[in-house]
Amino acid sequence: MKIIDVLNLSEQQQQVLVAGAAVLATAGVASGAAWWWYRKTTLSNLVFKPVGKLSTIFIHPIKSCRGHEVRRAECTAENLSSSGLIDRHFAILDAENKVVTMRTEPSLALVQPRLSEDGERLILEAPGMDPLEVTLADITSSKNPVFDFRIWRLDSAGLYCGQEMGDWISNFLQKPGCKLVYFRQTTTKDRILAQDSKWGQKFKSNEKVCGFSDFGPLMMLTEASMDDLNSRLEKQTTMRRFRPNFVVSGNAAFDEDQWKYVKIGDEVILRRSHGCGRCRMVTVDPETGVMSEDTEPLKTLKEYRMADKSDPDSKILHTAPVFGSNLVCEVAGTMCVGDIVYAAF
């Protein structure tokens, strides 16, 4: 069996292969040896070809708030981080403990979280508001309550960050009762992606989200695809509107649709789980925090980026056009802007 055939097998079929290898393994370590063999074989036999360079890395500390450009990041199966900033490890809840995003509060695009120079304090800034500083250690080590909530179809939970943070956000949004919550590994829930009723089949049984991103832990876009979209728009837009973690340059538009695995630099290997279906969130201008009245660029994306009916994902995507790729980290490591990006097809 060729390696590409193995990669295209369902998880159940893959497990059969692993079970077969276990029979041949040493007694007492059979299961672990089989899985190690399977994973090492599939990844080491991938044929990677250079496709471009990593041009930008974004980390979004608070779900639906403004992201930061960084030059270097650590990528693991648990999170993407850089100098204390962790991607989407904070989220905002309303008075009913429902997640607040730009879909309903577009002005969140103007809330900019950052760390102090000593890396010890979280600072929130937004137009018309005095900056708020809170010591991170007071949040991460607190005995504050944990609030349960849902992100789409999966249960999640977050550690309450205190009334001061909640009041600041409530005042900015003019929405009483808001809370900021934090994902703390020891006290909050991982979401098991395979349990999602729509996209679960795209993930392995042990893959999870440690934080508050939606369906894929990571997301990638390319400059060429962005340029292609802008060539069709009357008013140009920017990458920030689509909130990727990684931006790749040097390839042709939408080449990334065919990249089954992506390697960044010498270490990090990512697997494409599925295309990123876009919703009205992309109509929010990241510089003004206002939704476009003409629903652009979503309207244009729907004209040429809908999944073909032959695509098995088309029914799940429904009316959502695809723009970008959701990714899962297979091999952890460090990445830097300027790293060569490779793909396996």
Side-chain angles (χ1 to χ4, degrees), residues 17 107 112 145 157 162 281 305 321 345:
L17 280 179
S107 62
Q112 182 161 324
M281 186 180 288
R305 286 296 296 167
F345 300 83

Side-chain angles (χ1 to χ4, degrees), residues 265-322:
D266 296 327
E267 299 175 346
V268 178
I269 298 179
L270 309 164
R271 187 185 84 252
R272 186 182 192 268
S273 57
H274 58 292
C276 186
R278 296 301 182 166
C279 66
R280 64 177 178 172
M281 186 180 288
V282 302
T283 69
V284 178
D285 186 328
E287 305 307 325
T288 65
V290 176
M291 282 185 170
S292 60
E293 294 183 0
D294 60 4
T295 70
E296 291 289 15
L298 185 62
K299 178 182 176 181
T300 295
L301 284 172
K302 286 186 174 184
E303 292 173 358
Y304 78 114
R305 286 296 296 167
M306 299 299 296
D308 188 84
K309 290 183 179 180
S310 63
D311 186 334
D313 292 344
S314 61
K315 288 185 178 179
I316 304 176
L317 288 163
H318 192 43
T319 61
V322 173

Side-chain angles (χ1 to χ4, degrees), residues 35-36 38-46 48 73-80 204 207 218 246 260-272 327-335:
W35 175 247
W36 175 87
Y38 163 72
R39 189 173 186 277
K40 183 176 185 295
T41 301
T42 55
L43 293 179
S44 64
N45 282 276
L46 290 171
F48 284 101
E74 299 293 326
C75 186
T76 70
E78 286 73 37
N79 57 58
L80 181 71
K204 299 173 186 176
E207 288 177 336
L218 302 162
F246 315 122
K260 293 185 178 180
Y261 285 80
V262 176
K263 183 178 181 182
I264 301 178
D266 296 327
E267 299 175 346
V268 178
I269 298 179
L270 309 164
R271 187 185 84 252
R272 186 182 192 268
L327 305 169
V328 178
C329 182
E330 290 273 357
V331 177
T334 301
M335 62 178 68

Side-chain angles (χ1 to χ4, degrees), residues 126-148:
M129 300 289 292
D130 292 332
L132 176 65
E133 298 189 19
V134 177
T135 302
L136 275 174
D138 291 343
I139 296 173
T140 58
S141 63
S142 78
K143 296 182 179 180
N144 286 344
V146 172
F147 288 96
D148 294 324

Side-chain angles (χ1 to χ4, degrees), residues 15-255:
Q15 289 171 348
V16 171
L17 280 179
V18 173
V23 174
L24 302 176
T26 303
V29 294
S31 179
W35 175 247
W36 175 87
W37 169 85
Y38 163 72
R39 189 173 186 277
K40 183 176 185 295
T41 301
T42 55
L43 293 179
S44 64
N45 282 276
L46 290 171
V47 178
F48 284 101
K49 297 181 179 179
V51 292
K53 286 188 177 182
L54 183 64
S55 61
T56 313
I57 305 171
F58 285 107
I59 290 181
H60 305 84
I62 302 179
K63 185 177 180 67
S64 258
C65 294
R66 190 173 179 86
H68 282 266
E69 281 193 49
V70 299
R71 300 287 302 177
R72 177 187 178 95
E74 299 293 326
C75 186
T76 70
E78 286 73 37
N79 57 58
L80 181 71
S81 63
S82 178
S83 301
L85 289 174
I86 308 176
D87 192 64
R88 294 171 172 91
H89 259 46
F90 290 91
I92 296 169
L93 306 181
D94 64 15
E96 298 178 349
N97 294 338
K98 295 180 179 178
V99 179
V100 180
T101 71
M102 289 192 294
R103 295 177 186 88
T104 56
E105 298 292 342
S107 62
L108 282 177
L110 305 179
V111 175
Q112 182 161 324
R114 62 181 178 88
L115 289 182
S116 58
E117 290 186 6
D118 58 14
E120 295 182 355
R121 287 161 291 139
L122 177 67
I123 302 171
L124 298 186
E125 297 175 315
M129 300 289 292
D130 292 332
L132 176 65
E133 298 189 19
V134 177
T135 302
L136 275 174
D138 291 343
I139 296 173
T140 58
S141 63
S142 78
K143 296 182 179 180
N144 286 344
V146 172
F147 288 96
D148 294 324
F149 54 95
R150 287 178 72 82
I151 297 179
W152 295 103
R153 292 162 295 277
L154 295 178
D155 292 331
S156 188
L159 180 72
Y160 181 48
C161 294
Q163 185 170 347
E164 188 176 19
M165 298 286 262
D167 288 347
W168 189 95
I169 293 168
S170 294
N171 290 336
F172 175 70
L173 294 178
Q174 293 296 293
K175 189 180 181 75
C178 288
K179 314 172 189 67
L180 187 70
V181 294
Y182 172 73
F183 183 89
R184 186 169 68 183
Q185 190 76 43
T186 55
T187 56
T188 50
K189 301 174 183 177
D190 297 330
R191 284 175 293 136
I192 306 302
L193 292 167
Q195 295 175 359
D196 183 76
S197 59
K198 283 191 175 182
W199 292 108
Q201 76 277 10
K202 298 292 184 179
F203 301 96
K204 299 173 186 176
S205 59
N206 64 333
E207 288 177 336
K208 58 190 178 182
V209 175
C210 299
F212 303 128
S213 59
D214 282 349
F215 305 120
L218 302 162
M219 205 271 283
M220 177 186 67
L221 271 174
T222 68
E223 291 183 3
S225 298
M226 187 77 245
D227 291 343
D228 183 272
L229 173 60
N230 272 327
S231 72
R232 302 165 189 263
L233 297 173
E234 290 187 11
K235 184 179 179 181
Q236 304 286 283
T237 188
T238 66
M239 199 66 75
R240 278 192 178 275
R241 186 182 289 258
F242 298 94
R243 304 176 64 75
N245 294 115
F246 315 122
V247 181
V248 179
S249 64
N251 58 286
F254 307 111
D255 276 358

